[in-house]
Amino acid sequence: MTDSTETGRHSTGMARRSGDPNWWRQASVYQIYPRSFADADGDGLGDLRGVTAKVPYLAALGIDAVWLSPFYPSPLADGGYDVADYRDVDPRLGTLDDFDRMTQALHAADIKIIVDIVPNHSSDEHPWFREALAAGRGSPARDRYIFRDGLGPDGSRPPSDWVSHFGGSAWTRITEPTGEPGQWYLHLFAKEQPDWNWEHPEVRKDFETTLRFWSDRGVDGFRVDVAHALAKDMSEPLRSKPSVADELTPVDGKDPLFDRDEVHEIYAQWRKVFDEYDPPRSAVAEAWVPAERRPAYASPEGLGQAFNFDLLRADFDRRAFREIITNNLGQAAASGASSTWVLSNHDVVRHATRYGLPAGHDLGQWLMGDGADPEVDYEAGLRRARAATLLILALPGSTYLYQGEELGLFEVADLPAAALQDPIWQRTGRKLKGRDGCRVPLPWTSAGPSFGFGPDGAHLPQPAWFADAAVDVQDGQAESTLEFYRAALRLRRELQGFEELTWTDGSADDVLHFVRPGGWHCITNFGRSYAALPAGTCRISSGPLRAGELPPDTTAWLTR
């Protein structure tokens, strides 16, 4: 029995053709968190010159594009997602000339560049926010942000009970230029990240200027942070407008803060900007919305693609993977976009660790215990991580890889409290550790003061076991996770065809099997016993095979 799923007759088997306007549809994209990738100047922070120095590594890996997390001037209240200047480079990370040289080096290696754009909020050190504070109540400068009077006779209570994503109230009260307690401003994240007022024409125009600024410098696409939160209903009374977040957002588009229908008017205008370029600039939305709301963000008239985060929250389970894949291919077909597949990123516990813990375990609680209870089954975690990666690399659509997963890195769960940088740690009263454990600087060499990350130390402490996972240890070793990723990415480009798959349901209950055009079979064994493999030539597997059989927690690609 088979079930065919078609997401569009788009073929990007030659995704790296520089002039192909559809290069993004089935691209392999590698996320770089620049402060933790490579440090060229020895100050402990990764930088743009560090990225440029590693372009040969990226080219050898076989990716189609780099997604660069924020590199803009920032006081680092939230790892760079608090932007003080959208059209410059943080001096600690380099200069605009460094950015241009990095872009040229990537393009010379036939690698596209996608940059993060952070449109929901700025840093409180942005010149416009400083102007708003100085200008006083009722000034035009304050209208670019969301300021409101407080409740109560003295205005001492926040305008609503909305909660920040990082804990505590989403409102902070300011001191007016007169020295008196004053208005409150909205921040859905840290208090150092005031939300923009997207009803203001100057805000809209300034972001269009930013999109053109980076596009003119050769940027090929944009990852849009918190894409679902720009449009807000700020009509009074705010206290009568309860809000929920993330996957709980209602499907009617009526939440006051998230996923409002009006947000797509903003992205329709952005699409006009993207289409000024040849080829048009791509974009992908980070939109934590119900599945049925995702296609609107991915429409050709909008951003063109939206992240599917479903696998970030799924156990290593056949039924869960099958359902998620089927649903997302259907959404892609509905929007005319291509699917996106993600197992790790800068905001979540690394998937090699997740798969080594008991299914459904509370990751926040586990992090608070420094990763000691329960202990991670590292062997099983890495085995399943490799199997899941090979599975998603075979799917139609774009695959987003996170730096270090090609080394088989696990979460660094035992970072000391004094080293933690994520604002979640302080904002929750030290009840949640946050995301630092997946942002520890990469190990490039098995020796040295920072395992080759830079000539001196690293801004987050690296564990001793990084020595065994370093690039120079894995390079050239046939069974290493690094060489596995390189081989899989090379083969993916060779086999990639039309955005279609056909499910094959004649396999065992714990086996997931689908076929891509050209006779490319992907088979994953989620079970505990060996499974029979169909006839064909095995092109790659995530672990060793036994004659004619697929071991548990293993994926294989066959061709016929």
Side-chain angles (χ1 to χ4, degrees):
M1 176 181 176
T2 61
D3 174 30
S4 180
T5 301
E6 181 173 327
T7 63
R9 295 291 294 176
H10 296 276
S11 177
T12 51
M14 296 295 290
R16 302 184 88 180
R17 291 179 297 182
S18 58
D20 181 3
N22 291 316
W23 65 268
W24 51 273
R25 294 191 65 93
Q26 297 199 82
S28 54
V29 183
Y30 182 89
Q31 181 190 358
I32 290 178
Y33 187 74
R35 290 171 173 81
S36 295
F37 186 66
D39 174 22
D41 63 11
D43 66 353
L45 277 181
D47 45 45
L48 299 189
R49 287 197 293 121
V51 176
T52 303
K54 300 300 184 183
V55 168
Y57 171 83
L58 298 169
L61 190 59
I63 58 168
D64 299 311
V66 157
W67 154 27
L68 198 66
S69 290
F71 52 88
Y72 313 108
S74 170
L76 297 183
D78 182 22
Y81 283 88
D82 47 319
V83 180
D85 185 343
Y86 288 86
R87 298 191 285 273
D88 205 351
V89 174
D90 192 311
R92 292 167 290 188
L93 274 65
T95 65
L96 283 171
D97 286 342
D98 290 328
F99 181 88
D100 292 341
R101 283 189 285 269
M102 178 192 66
T103 301
Q104 292 163 7
L106 288 168
H107 284 167
D110 208 7
I111 298 173
K112 307 287 188 184
I113 179 170
I114 299 167
V115 300
D116 242 308
I117 191 79
V118 188
N120 179 70
H121 48 263
S122 76
S123 164
D124 60 354
E125 294 189 10
H126 191 284
W128 278 3
F129 191 72
R130 289 179 173 177
E131 181 185 354
L133 294 180
R137 188 191 305 265
S139 63
R142 287 206 178 170
D143 286 343
R144 299 186 187 117
Y145 292 90
I146 300 174
F147 282 85
R148 292 292 186 273
D149 293 333
L151 301 179
D154 57 356
S156 61
R157 291 189 288 120
S160 76
D161 60 0
W162 295 337
V163 176
S164 161
H165 278 272
F166 292 162
S169 175
W171 297 94
T172 289
R173 196 176 194 186
I174 67 166
T175 300
E176 297 292 350
T178 61
E180 298 174 339
Q183 289 189 299
W184 299 71
Y185 66 87
L186 180 68
H187 52 89
L188 296 185
F189 294 87
K191 65 182 177 62
E192 296 87 357
Q193 295 170 287
D195 280 31
W196 290 107
N197 172 20
W198 273 89
E199 293 295 318
H200 201 297
E202 290 184 16
V203 172
R204 297 192 178 211
K205 182 178 179 181
D206 195 65
F207 270 91
E208 290 171 16
T209 298
T210 294
L211 295 174
R212 291 188 178 96
F213 178 87
W214 294 110
S215 296
D216 290 344
R217 300 192 93 90
V219 163
D220 301 287
F222 298 87
R223 180 263 190 187
V224 184
D225 186 63
V226 198
H228 58 306
L230 275 58
K232 299 177 176 71
D233 177 9
M234 300 303 299
S235 59
E236 298 290 350
L238 297 181
R239 61 184 178 276
S240 67
K241 302 177 188 296
S243 174
V244 295
D246 298 344
E247 68 270 19
L248 300 177
T249 306
V251 297
D252 61 2
K254 300 302 182 183
D255 187 275
L257 300 177
F258 301 101
D259 191 34
R260 296 187 62 79
D261 293 338
E262 307 94 279
V263 76
H264 301 296
E265 299 170 9
I266 298 169
Y267 298 134
Q269 186 58 43
W270 283 25
R271 173 48 56 190
K272 293 178 182 178
V273 174
F274 299 148
D275 288 349
E276 294 172 3
Y277 295 86
D278 184 19
R281 295 325 188 222
S282 70
V284 58
E286 183 209 27
W288 290 89
V289 299
E292 57 266 48
R293 301 281 294 179
R294 245 179 251 148
Y297 293 87
S299 74
E301 295 77 28
L303 295 175
Q305 198 174 52
F307 275 122
N308 148 35
F309 294 125
D310 296 340
L311 290 176
L312 296 180
R313 295 173 287 189
D315 293 325
F316 188 77
D317 175 81
R318 177 195 180 277
R319 183 174 298 177
F321 270 67
R322 169 77 182 250
E323 182 178 349
I324 287 168
I325 293 167
T326 300
N327 290 346
N328 281 278
L329 291 178
Q331 291 168 25
S335 66
S338 65
S339 298
T340 58
W341 309 104
V342 186
L343 295 173
S344 284
N345 64 29
H346 65 294
D347 281 334
V348 300
V349 172
R350 288 184 176 274
H351 66 284
T353 294
R354 299 199 311 269
Y355 294 152
L357 288 168
H361 191 75
D362 187 321
L363 295 173
Q365 181 184 33
W366 176 79
L367 283 171
M368 287 300 294
D370 290 342
D373 184 20
E375 292 185 1
V376 177
D377 185 337
Y378 292 105
E379 183 178 337
L382 183 56
R383 188 172 63 243
R384 292 167 184 164
R386 287 170 54 128
T389 295
L390 197 59
L391 188 160
I392 67 169
L393 285 173
L395 291 170
S398 297
T399 301
Y400 286 79
L401 310 171
Y402 179 53
Q403 66 178 40
E405 68 173 81
E406 78 278 12
L407 303 178
L409 294 188
F410 293 88
E411 189 81 0
V412 182
D414 56 353
L415 290 170
L420 297 179
Q421 301 171 8
D422 194 328
I424 291 175
W425 174 240
Q426 295 295 344
R427 293 277 297 183
T428 62
R430 299 192 173 193
K431 294 179 180 178
L432 289 174
K433 269 193 171 181
R435 302 157 294 178
D436 291 311
C438 66
R439 301 178 180 184
V440 175
L442 297 190
W444 294 94
T445 61
S446 59
S450 60
F451 298 109
F453 169 67
D456 203 345
H459 69 97
L460 283 169
Q462 300 159 298
W465 58 263
F466 264 26
D468 296 328
V471 172
D472 70 347
V473 172
Q474 299 195 42
D475 188 31
Q477 300 300 311
E479 302 303 318
S480 71
T481 299
L482 175 58
E483 293 298 344
F484 163 70
Y485 267 72
R486 288 171 174 171
L489 287 164
R490 285 194 300 268
L491 188 56
R492 179 181 190 268
R493 190 175 304 115
E494 174 189 329
L495 297 176
Q496 196 68 268
F498 290 114
E499 293 175 38
E500 303 169 4
L501 68 71
T502 301
W503 292 108
T504 300
D505 291 336
S507 305
D509 290 344
D510 290 326
V511 173
L512 195 62
H513 181 182
F514 59 84
V515 186
R516 295 291 306 279
W520 174 16
H521 292 248
C522 178
I523 308 161
T524 303
N525 184 359
F526 288 87
R528 296 185 177 182
S529 58
Y530 281 74
L533 282 170
T537 301
C538 181
R539 305 296 298 276
I540 190 173
S541 62
S542 61
L545 303 182
R546 192 166 72 179
E549 291 185 313
L550 188 65
D553 304 335
T554 306
T555 297
W557 292 355
L558 277 64
T559 55
R560 293 181 179 177

